[in-house]
Amino acid sequence: RPRVLSGIQPTAGSFHLGNYLGAVRQWVALQETHDAFYMVVDLHAITIPQDPKDLRANTRLAAAQLLAAGLDPDRCTLFVQSHVPEHAQLAWIMNCLTGFGEAGRMTQFKDKAAKQGAERASVGLFTYPILQVADILLYQAHEVPVGEDQRQHVELTRDLAERFNGRFGQTFTVPKPYILRETAKIYDLQDPSIKMSKSASTPKGLINLLDEPKATAKKVKSAVTDTDTVIRYDAEDKPGISNLLTIYSTLTGETIGELEEKYTGKMYGALKTDLAEVMIEFVTPFRERTQQYLDDPETLDSILAKGAEKARAVAAETLAQAYEKVGFLPAK
Ligand code: TYM
């Protein structure tokens, strides 16, 4: 079985709809066909200041949501990044192979650093993509299921894998991004020119999966569209309606074409009312399942402990090869 690896940050509160449609939904599907490794990236989270208590709680919350979304610990390896020390160890080697300018070109770093003020941004934020490189290479992943905003980090991973292999001999699998065109970028409901995100979206533009379902329905109903009346997919001229059609289509399995047909001659309000209902049907059981996992932290922690053990077995083997190739003296 080919291998996939991906990660998600333990953000406060809840995953948003972009995380789910852009990434987690694919993770669930890929566990059926791939040897799948998925992790909650707490090491990445601390590149931005975190309250320790919150970080711990959010890490559990993230794992609970992944299980609620359909990850099955019998079909995939689900773990917490900091439980596998090899991530930080390989990241060091990768740091030493990355050019300063090369790291400085990472657009996500530039955005986040600009937001914090360049002087206040941590060195960890700067090397964030290189830790991600280590995450992927440790598992010899063939594919990395992510949203469009992570493409550049996967490209960096390919470059560094090739660089290491070229310098020290074949060691790492060169991975490919796995990005589904339709859901690569889910947009903000209030401003369909920007992606849905915790940091940039206003509360009304952002669908948090664990919010009160009624509040979510309301956000769908007040989504920004356009002054035209035709329900048709056209990402250029009708970004708002196109985003709603994408969300609708992905959650129900109806194709965009089928939806366009179904809503021929109908008003935007009809589409929004139906999508609000679709959304309620999706988030209601998701919230319940997440709560069930949170109510039983022992089970949750034991799932993560087993995951970490499986992950470590793979990661340790790769790290040992990398150490040997680099020329570190083996400890006797
Ligand atoms: P993170 O936690 O920001 O996001 C998790 C996943 O959600 C996707 N995503 C979106 N997809 C479509 N539309 C959106 N509006 C949207 N917003 C977020 C992201 O692309 C991502 O796939 N650096 C990563 C975490 C990471 C990782 C890794 C990923 C760490 N190590 C190794 C893959 C492999 C991140 O911060 O994702």
Side-chain angles (χ1 to χ4, degrees), residues 262-326:
K262 182 161 149 186
Y263 289 99
T264 305
K266 298 215 172 120
M267 311 244 264
Y268 287 173
L271 173 76
K272 289 181 181 176
T273 305
D274 290 352
L275 178 56
E277 196 52 45
V278 166
M279 201 77 88
I280 288 178
E281 271 167 37
F282 171 68
V283 295
T284 305
F286 177 80
R287 281 177 108 213
E288 282 166 14
R289 285 197 297 268
T290 302
Q291 195 53 52
Q292 283 165 11
Y293 284 108
L294 290 176
D295 288 342
D296 184 2
E298 262 134 66
T299 302
L300 189 59
D301 290 354
S302 96
I303 289 171
L304 295 174
K306 281 201 200 98
E309 202 182 316
K310 282 201 276 171
R312 265 199 98 166
V314 177
E317 193 185 317
T318 310
L319 185 75
Q321 285 171 26
Y323 268 34
E324 207 246 328
K325 292 275 174 61
V326 165

Side-chain angles (χ1 to χ4, degrees), residues 5-11 16-24 27 39 41 44 81 108 112 128 131-133 135-136 144-150 153-154 183-188 195-197:
L5 172 125
S6 199
I8 190 161
Q9 298 210 46
T11 46
H16 61 71
L17 189 65
N19 297 139
Y20 177 71
L21 295 179
V24 176
W27 300 9
M39 61 179 169
V41 296
H44 278 106
Q81 189 184 30
Q108 242 189 11
K112 287 190 191 176
Y128 174 120
L131 176 60
Q132 185 165 347
V133 168
D135 294 341
I136 298 167
V144 184
V146 286
E148 182 62 37
D149 61 353
Q150 297 299 314
H153 294 165
V154 183
T183 50
K185 197 167 175 186
I186 300 297
Y187 295 89
D188 183 296
K195 71 169 180 186
M196 187 179 287
S197 88

Side-chain angles (χ1 to χ4, degrees), residues 3-4 20 23 29 73 93 114 117 136 171 182 204 228 255-257 314:
R3 191 170 280 163
V4 289
Y20 177 71
I93 296 178
I136 298 167
T171 308
E182 304 77 35
K204 279 181 76 186
D228 186 22
T255 65
I256 301 265
V314 177

